């Protein structure tokens, strides 16, 4: 058994504002809950934007419907994120966002919705 505080889970994020695109991100396992959702992504989502986030965790496929509340722009000292440079964003490989959202709905795709304790201690 190792330290799980920084264990990551991969996310697939979609939004109605850009229905033709899917974004990738990750969340820290110890921050998953049924009320608030925090995650990291290179996409800057609008405040009050509704997102659908899918993930596989603890043997369950989960879908979160969330509402963005705020975000913080962060700069990485490594090359963990990558994207093409543009005039507006000349160093995208170093910029990512810590996103905070309110959970509107949590749904288990297999019909099971684990409780907060299960989310934080599974896998």
């Amino acid at each position: 058994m190792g330290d799980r505080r920084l264990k990551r889970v991969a996310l697939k994020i979609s939004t109605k504002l850009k229905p033709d695109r899917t974004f990738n991100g990750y969340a820290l396992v110890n921050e998953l809950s049924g009320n608030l959702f925090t995650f990291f992504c290179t996409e800057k989502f609008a405040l009050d934007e509704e997102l659908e986030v899918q993930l596989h965790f603890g043997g369950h496929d989960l879908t979160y419907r969330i509402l963005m509340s705020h975000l913080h722009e962060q700069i990485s000292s490594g090359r963990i994120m990558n994207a093409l440079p543009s005039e507006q964003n000349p160093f995208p490989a170093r910029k990512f966002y810590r996103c905070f959202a309110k959970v509107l709905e949590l749904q288990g795709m297999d019909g099971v919705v684990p409780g907060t304790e299960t989310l934080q201690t599974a896998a």
Side-chain angles (χ1 to χ4, degrees):
M1 289 289 207
D3 188 1
R4 297 181 183 179
R5 287 179 291 180
L6 295 178
K7 185 173 181 179
R8 298 177 186 182
V9 62
L11 308 176
K12 187 169 101 176
I13 305 163
S14 56
T15 174
K16 292 178 183 176
L17 297 178
K18 297 178 184 176
D20 56 331
R21 294 191 59 199
T22 300
F23 304 96
N24 294 316
Y26 72 88
L28 299 176
V29 169
N30 67 318
E31 295 180 348
L32 294 176
S33 79
N35 300 320
L36 299 173
F37 194 85
T38 60
F39 64 99
F40 297 89
C41 189
T42 57
E43 179 69 16
K44 184 176 184 178
F45 297 107
L47 299 183
D48 295 327
E49 183 173 356
E50 193 174 310
L51 306 172
E52 183 177 285
V53 180
Q54 296 178 350
L55 60 105
H56 181 80
F57 181 72
H60 300 283
D61 289 320
L62 304 173
T63 300
Y64 280 83
R65 192 169 56 87
I66 61 174
L67 185 67
M68 285 292 300
S69 60
H70 62 284
L71 56 86
H72 297 287
E73 183 176 299
Q74 297 185 331
I75 304 296
S76 171
S77 60
R79 294 179 182 224
I80 61 170
M81 304 282 188
N82 54 20
L84 296 174
S86 67
E87 189 174 306
Q88 294 174 319
N89 193 8
F91 303 105
R94 297 177 162 255
K95 189 183 293 187
F96 64 100
Y97 300 93
R98 171 93 159 132
C99 304
F100 300 86
K102 177 183 176 185
V103 175
L104 301 175
E105 181 181 10
L106 170 57
Q107 183 176 36
M109 296 176 79
D110 56 4
V112 176
V113 179
T116 302
E117 295 166 3
T118 304
L119 286 172
Q120 292 178 352
T121 60

